[in-house]
Amino acid sequence: MNPYKILNIDYRADKRGIIEAVALAMRERKFSVQEVAIAQKELLNPIDRAAHDFLQFVDVKPLQEQLILSKPQEQTVFDLNRLSIFDENS
Amino acid sequence: MKKKNKSFESILARAEKLFDKENYLLAKKEFEKAEKLEKQNNITEKLKICKQEIEKLKVKDLIKKARKHTKKKKLRNALECFEEAYKISKEDSIRERIEALNRILRDSDIEKAARNAETAGQYLKAAELYEKAFASSKQDAHLLKRALCLVKAEKYKDAVSVFKDMNFSDTCSLYNYGFALAKVGQHYKCLKTWDDITAKDNDFLEQKEIVRSILAKDIYNRFTSAEDFVRLYKEGKYLLDSTGRQDLAELVEYCKYAWIKELWTDEQYETIWELVFDFPATVEPALIALYAKTCFKLAQSSGTRLTDLAMFWLTAVYNSELSGKFSSEAKEREIIRQKLIRMAEAVIKQDINSKDKTAQLALTYWDIDKKLIKYIVALTKDRKEMFHLVCTPRFANLFGKSAQILRLIKKNKNFFENTEHYLMTGCYYSSAWQSMYHLETGQYKKAFDSLPEVIDEDEFATYGMLKVKFFCGLYCLEIGDRQLKQCFDALPALFDISSDYEKKLIEKAIESYELDELNRYEEILNIIHIKRPSKEIKNALSLVMSRRAIQMYNKNQVNDKTLNMILQKALALNPKNEHARVSLDDSKIELKIIALDKAISKYKMNKACKIAVESKSEKVRSCFFEFMDYNIKALYEMNAEYEEKLFFLKDSYKWCAIVDKSHPMLYELNEMIRHLEVK
């Protein structure tokens, strides 16, 4: 169960944002009342929330930042001329 | 020569005869002659039939000729024949043939014109004509020729639109389609198409290289304008894989992570795993987290990657950099870590009762890893530079950290409770790690087969090898597999590390009662006894030996003498072996009774008395007296002479007295003697 998905919020959501999201989720009825309640409970508990913060999101930024993005080696590109070697009667 | 009868009747008769024979041509001539002589309705009717039949024959003949022409590809001649036949018969089927032939001839004309245009370099005109030819023939060949002419006419976009919906595998079409794709800027597609061309022509290979360079440049340009990362990754990866050019490697990697981010949102964990499965040589914390989380999600949603979850999850949650983000408070950090561990454990356990044994296997792995990683955490405590070594054994092996961890373990030998604890921890990080996991999951054969080929002086791997051999050996002893006898060759070294193994083997040996099992245990205990004689092994061997001897005796597989010999051997090993002692006494008694029986049956009473006197066994003496009692009573009842009976009874009294002066039988005998003497 991903409480962030159930409440349709991102990891920056504060307490107020969570409560608002709960009300909306209850109205939308996409998830059961129990699921919404558990999601709320877990996100309002700092330990559970920290665990979910670790599990539910991936941070690829550090992986991207360590990459050195260089321009590919320049090669003299000649114009392409059609080859006739593969023509049926060649 | 006989002259023809020219009378009307004879002409008519001849005509009728020919008509009956279906020779309508001659019949017609004769009927005409007859009609000239005399007009009759009947003749007119017959003439009509003859004409009709002649026409039919002519049509048949013409169709035959037309078919022959068709076969010889003389379509125009065939058409003439069909047309002539149709003039006569007006049959629909002939008309259809005429139409078809006309179509073919017309197409052929178009094709010819197209070919001529192509030869003359009028490619656009040729393309149009091929299109016309296709409209009529519906042959893909015409369409392919059209596409080729469009390429030649440098109408690449049109050519691509023709080629793209077609199936073809001929080199000419593949090349020209690829060329057109390259010209319209679809370099990746061009290369993929050209990959199907097996020809190694230099010009072609050069051209392919040019397209690759253009594609590389294009990927970079699109990347800088933040285009579709998925496409960029796929195209870049293709270039990397097909050319090995490394200048794009980091860019492709960047796109991969950008794509992974999208995939994570879409919960496409399988695809993420496929993308990251190609493990790099070194691994960053963020990547460890990615592995761990992907495994968690896959395990949770589909029950897959369970053993990988154990490997990555524990490494991730104990990683200092990753867990540092849980909380700034160490205590809270630990609580969160334990919560995450429980979450993963629950995922592994969710399928534990299913028929599939993977969950059970993963749980065993998990338990091992959970225990081991705690030792490494303790070893690296407060040593920041060592934090990166905190990982599970399989992770260490995968990312080349094992050697460093083993050095750490060696340096901190005193940390461990005892030698075995130290060796066991190191063993999981040694080259014998795989065998150890198999062993713990009860896969003995796999454990044995995956032992490292070279162990050298590695104390951890050696311990692993000994342990695996020991448990494989026990397993083989239980199931009766003699093939793995070599398991016990080096075993004494393991007993030196921990006597628990010796105890375990002895326990198992003592628990055995079946003859086959006893055989195997005796053999193995003998090997160990020779290599490392210990009191415990001696005692166990002695017991197994005596048990086996008795079992064999009971099954008539050994005689008394052999039994006696084996029991004496067992007692020599352990004089306190009560089982052997009692059995040996019994065996000795049995032997005495046999000797007694033999002496008595040969009436060697002195010898019999001697055996009974010398034997300390009550059983032997009882046997002696039982025999005497039986014989005396039998004689006393017999109709023998009075003196003879008296003589025998006195002898018997003497023998019995030699054996036991106070035996009640002597009183009985005395009574009998007195009774006879009074008589």
Side-chain angles (χ1 to χ4, degrees):
Chain A
M1 185 195 89
N2 182 349
Y4 287 100
K5 279 241 157 113
I6 292 173
L7 300 183
N8 194 24
I9 49 175
D10 76 3
Y11 70 98
R12 287 165 298 197
D14 58 5
K15 196 177 170 183
R16 199 178 150 186
I18 293 167
I19 291 163
E20 280 171 5
V22 168
L24 196 67
M26 291 285 198
R27 274 204 300 276
E28 278 180 349
R29 293 183 182 193
K30 228 166 133 185
F31 296 93
S32 70
V33 175
Q34 197 190 4
E35 282 173 315
V36 175
I38 294 171
Q40 179 193 16
K41 194 183 155 204
E42 296 210 332
L43 292 188
L44 291 176
N45 178 324
I47 302 293
D48 290 346
R49 180 162 183 173
H52 278 296
D53 282 354
F54 175 74
L55 172 65
Q56 311 296 359
F57 302 98
V58 285
D59 185 11
V60 293
K61 223 172 165 188
L63 297 167
Q64 287 174 320
E65 278 171 357
Q66 66 180 0
L67 300 166
I68 303 153
L69 301 170
S70 54
K71 209 173 173 183
Q73 293 150 15
E74 281 287 347
Q75 279 185 7
T76 323
V77 175
F78 301 100
D79 196 22
L80 282 179
N81 292 312
R82 202 187 75 86
L83 300 172
S84 57
I85 43 163
F86 299 120
D87 286 355
E88 274 169 351
N89 47 3
S90 64
Chain B
M1 196 180 152
K2 203 182 167 186
K3 253 191 164 181
K4 269 188 187 173
N5 198 338
K6 289 181 178 177
S7 71
F8 172 75
E9 285 78 16
S10 59
I11 292 167
L12 189 62
R14 219 167 26 244
E16 292 287 358
K17 202 176 172 185
L18 288 164
F19 186 86
D20 290 342
K21 284 184 179 176
E22 296 181 359
N23 191 342
Y24 300 110
L25 203 71
L26 287 179
K28 185 188 159 225
K29 275 182 186 174
E30 292 304 314
F31 278 127
E32 277 168 351
K33 277 181 200 170
E35 197 179 42
K36 272 180 190 171
L37 293 174
E38 194 178 321
K39 204 129 178 136
Q40 277 184 15
N41 283 345
N42 181 31
I43 294 169
T44 317
E45 193 65 33
K46 287 275 169 74
L47 265 171
K48 202 178 166 186
I49 294 169
C50 281
K51 276 177 192 168
Q52 279 173 354
E53 290 301 325
I54 288 163
E55 275 177 356
K56 271 187 194 170
L57 281 172
K58 204 176 176 185
V59 168
K60 223 174 178 179
D61 192 43
L62 281 165
I63 291 171
K64 207 173 168 184
K65 272 184 187 171
R67 280 186 182 145
K68 272 185 183 171
H69 285 310
T70 313
K71 260 188 184 174
K72 289 178 184 172
K73 308 253 178 206
K74 292 177 175 174
L75 299 184
R76 290 199 188 281
N77 293 348
L79 182 67
E80 278 169 17
C81 289
F82 278 127
E83 278 171 345
E84 210 175 319
Y86 182 70
K87 268 183 203 163
I88 300 164
S89 71
K90 303 285 176 198
E91 275 178 39
D92 284 348
S93 62
I94 298 173
R95 197 194 71 233
E96 280 164 16
R97 298 295 298 270
I98 291 166
E99 282 170 7
L101 270 175
N102 270 327
R103 243 188 342 261
I104 293 166
L105 285 167
R106 195 170 56 243
D107 289 351
S108 160
D109 289 344
I110 297 169
E111 200 178 330
K112 207 172 169 184
R115 264 204 304 273
N116 288 340
E118 196 181 345
T119 316
Q122 298 169 314
Y123 298 119
L124 260 181
K125 187 182 171 189
E128 276 170 28
L129 286 166
Y130 279 127
E131 193 183 11
K132 265 189 191 171
F134 173 75
S136 154
S137 70
K138 302 291 174 206
Q139 285 177 22
D140 278 354
H142 287 139
L143 217 52
L144 282 175
K145 290 209 172 197
R146 167 172 148 74
L148 177 63
C149 285
L150 286 169
V151 175
K152 286 179 178 173
E154 298 181 4
K155 298 285 178 194
Y156 303 116
K157 212 173 160 187
D158 295 338
V160 167
S161 65
V162 177
F163 273 127
K164 76 174 170 34
D165 298 323
M166 296 187 70
N167 281 326
F168 49 85
S169 56
D170 63 292
T171 310
C172 174
S173 304
L174 287 170
Y175 171 75
N176 283 289
Y177 180 37
F179 185 81
L181 284 165
K183 284 290 187 183
V184 295
Q186 297 189 38
H187 303 103
Y188 172 66
K189 259 193 174 179
C190 157
L191 290 167
K192 293 283 267 183
T193 308
W194 280 357
D195 280 346
D196 291 335
I197 299 173
T198 48
K200 300 277 178 242
D201 179 84
N202 279 342
D203 288 341
F204 170 63
L205 295 177
E206 210 173 277
Q207 206 163 65
K208 217 172 163 182
E209 201 46 51
I210 293 170
V211 178
R212 282 186 188 129
S213 296
I214 302 170
L215 177 61
K217 210 172 151 188
D218 179 46
I219 288 172
Y220 184 79
N221 291 338
R222 280 188 281 145
F223 173 76
T224 46
S225 57
E227 253 203 56
D228 178 3
F229 287 117
V230 184
R231 211 177 125 197
L232 285 174
Y233 169 75
K234 284 182 182 170
E235 294 184 8
K237 183 81 173 52
Y238 165 80
L239 266 190
L240 283 183
D241 293 345
S242 59
T243 63
R245 54 185 300 165
Q246 288 304 305
D247 54 346
L248 277 176
E250 306 243 321
L251 186 145
V252 171
E253 197 74 351
Y254 189 98
C255 295
K256 180 176 88 178
Y257 292 129
W259 186 22
I260 284 173
K261 203 177 168 187
E262 288 173 21
L263 289 167
W264 186 268
T265 313
D266 298 339
E267 301 181 3
Q268 298 292 311
Y269 308 117
E270 269 298 344
T271 316
I272 296 177
W273 185 254
E274 280 165 26
L275 287 173
V276 294
F277 184 70
D278 193 10
F279 303 120
T282 54
V283 63
E284 294 302 312
L287 197 54
I288 301 173
L290 181 60
Y291 288 138
K293 293 174 199 182
T294 309
C295 286
F296 186 102
K297 291 287 184 182
L298 285 170
Q300 193 179 39
S301 58
S302 58
T304 56
R305 308 255 76 89
L306 289 173
T307 53
D308 292 325
L309 172 63
M311 161 168 68
F312 288 117
W313 192 259
L314 290 164
T315 306
V317 297
Y318 277 103
N319 181 278
S320 61
E321 197 179 314
L322 295 172
S323 59
K325 289 175 191 164
F326 295 167
S327 168
S328 54
E329 292 292 321
K331 207 175 161 189
E332 196 170 275
R333 215 161 36 232
E334 190 52 36
I335 294 170
I336 294 164
R337 179 181 292 128
Q338 291 311 318
K339 158 105 189 161
L340 286 166
I341 290 173
R342 282 197 302 278
M343 282 166 79
E345 199 165 306
V347 167
I348 294 173
K349 283 179 178 171
Q350 73 188 359
D351 292 324
I352 205 81
N353 294 322
S354 74
K355 277 183 188 169
D356 185 10
K357 297 279 169 220
T358 322
Q360 187 57 58
L361 191 95
L363 190 62
T364 311
Y365 279 30
W366 172 265
D367 290 337
I368 297 168
D369 290 350
K370 207 164 78 171
K371 199 166 63 183
L372 291 168
I373 204 164
K374 278 184 187 164
Y375 301 145
I376 308 300
V377 169
L379 289 177
T380 56
K381 202 178 176 191
D382 302 327
R383 293 159 79 183
K384 221 174 174 180
E385 75 283 2
M386 295 284 183
F387 283 174
H388 70 102
L389 295 179
V390 177
C391 63
T392 56
R394 286 173 298 144
F395 183 93
N397 179 270
L398 201 57
F399 295 101
K401 289 179 184 279
S402 304
Q404 281 170 280
I405 296 172
L406 286 177
R407 276 199 293 278
L408 179 75
I409 293 171
K410 275 184 184 176
K411 266 187 184 176
N412 295 281
K413 196 173 176 178
N414 291 337
F415 161 84
F416 298 95
E417 288 166 23
N418 50 43
T419 311
E420 185 167 30
H421 184 207
Y422 160 76
L423 290 173
M424 190 267 294
T425 308
C427 180
Y428 276 101
Y429 289 92
S430 75
S431 54
W433 67 274
Q434 214 171 356
S435 291
M436 292 301 284
Y437 279 101
H438 288 318
L439 184 67
E440 285 301 320
T441 48
Q443 301 177 86
Y444 300 109
K445 185 88 178 64
K446 268 189 180 178
F448 193 86
D449 292 343
S450 56
L451 278 171
E453 277 175 27
V454 184
I455 285 177
D456 287 336
E457 298 291 297
D458 182 348
E459 57 181 330
F460 301 117
T462 304
Y463 165 78
M465 181 264 291
L466 291 172
K467 197 169 167 177
V468 166
K469 280 191 170 184
F470 174 76
F471 283 102
C472 283
L474 279 190
Y475 176 68
C476 291
L477 278 171
E478 267 174 41
I479 62 161
D481 186 347
R482 284 171 160 266
Q483 281 184 329
L484 288 174
K485 219 172 81 183
Q486 70 262 37
C487 287
F488 291 96
D489 286 352
L491 215 56
L494 184 68
F495 295 171
D496 291 337
I497 295 167
S498 169
S499 59
D500 287 351
Y501 297 101
E502 189 179 14
K503 278 181 199 157
K504 196 166 179 77
L505 175 67
I506 289 168
E507 260 172 38
K508 291 264 177 192
I510 289 171
E511 279 169 13
S512 59
Y513 285 94
E514 292 298 320
L515 183 57
D516 285 346
E517 220 180 344
L518 289 164
N519 268 335
R520 295 192 290 270
Y521 275 105
E522 188 179 324
E523 196 176 349
I524 295 309
L525 288 170
N526 244 325
I527 294 172
I528 296 167
H529 174 62
I530 292 163
K531 295 198 171 189
R532 185 182 177 276
S534 74
K535 195 184 161 197
E536 290 78 11
I537 290 289
K538 253 188 191 180
N539 293 349
L541 179 59
S542 169
L543 183 63
V544 168
M545 210 181 240
S546 57
R547 264 189 200 160
R548 179 176 156 260
I550 295 298
Q551 286 267 18
M552 287 175 81
Y553 180 75
N554 290 341
K555 288 185 177 173
N556 293 324
Q557 288 176 0
V558 290
N559 58 20
D560 294 270
K561 254 186 178 172
T562 316
L563 171 70
N564 203 23
M565 213 172 70
I566 299 171
L567 290 173
Q568 277 178 7
K569 223 172 147 185
L571 268 174
L573 283 168
N574 178 18
K576 288 179 184 169
N577 181 349
E578 276 307 303
H579 180 264
R581 180 179 300 287
V582 172
S583 305
L584 184 62
D585 288 347
D586 287 350
S587 153
K588 277 179 183 168
I589 290 164
E590 287 298 321
L591 281 173
K592 293 269 182 203
I593 290 169
I594 290 165
L596 182 75
D597 193 39
K598 219 169 157 185
I600 289 170
S601 60
K602 286 182 181 171
Y603 210 69
K604 292 180 175 176
M605 291 311 292
N606 282 330
K607 195 179 178 183
C609 287
K610 200 183 170 195
I611 293 167
V613 168
E614 284 175 0
S615 170
K616 285 166 190 165
S617 162
E618 263 311 306
K619 206 175 168 186
V620 177
R621 286 179 188 211
S622 296
C623 273
F624 175 83
F625 283 108
E626 267 170 33
F627 171 78
M628 291 309 288
D629 186 46
Y630 174 80
N631 273 1
I632 290 161
K633 277 179 183 159
L635 184 94
Y636 197 71
E637 307 282 314
M638 258 171 63
N639 285 331
E641 289 293 322
Y642 156 75
E643 287 83 5
E644 210 179 328
K645 278 186 181 177
L646 193 64
F647 178 76
F648 178 74
L649 285 175
K650 281 183 177 173
D651 261 3
S652 298
Y653 185 89
K654 189 179 77 190
W655 293 326
C656 288
I658 292 169
V659 177
D660 186 356
K661 277 178 190 168
S662 57
H663 198 277
M665 189 180 263
L666 290 174
Y667 298 104
E668 221 174 296
L669 267 170
N670 219 3
E671 278 299 305
M672 284 175 179
I673 291 166
R674 261 210 336 239
H675 186 250
L676 280 176
E677 279 173 345
V678 170
K679 263 187 180 175

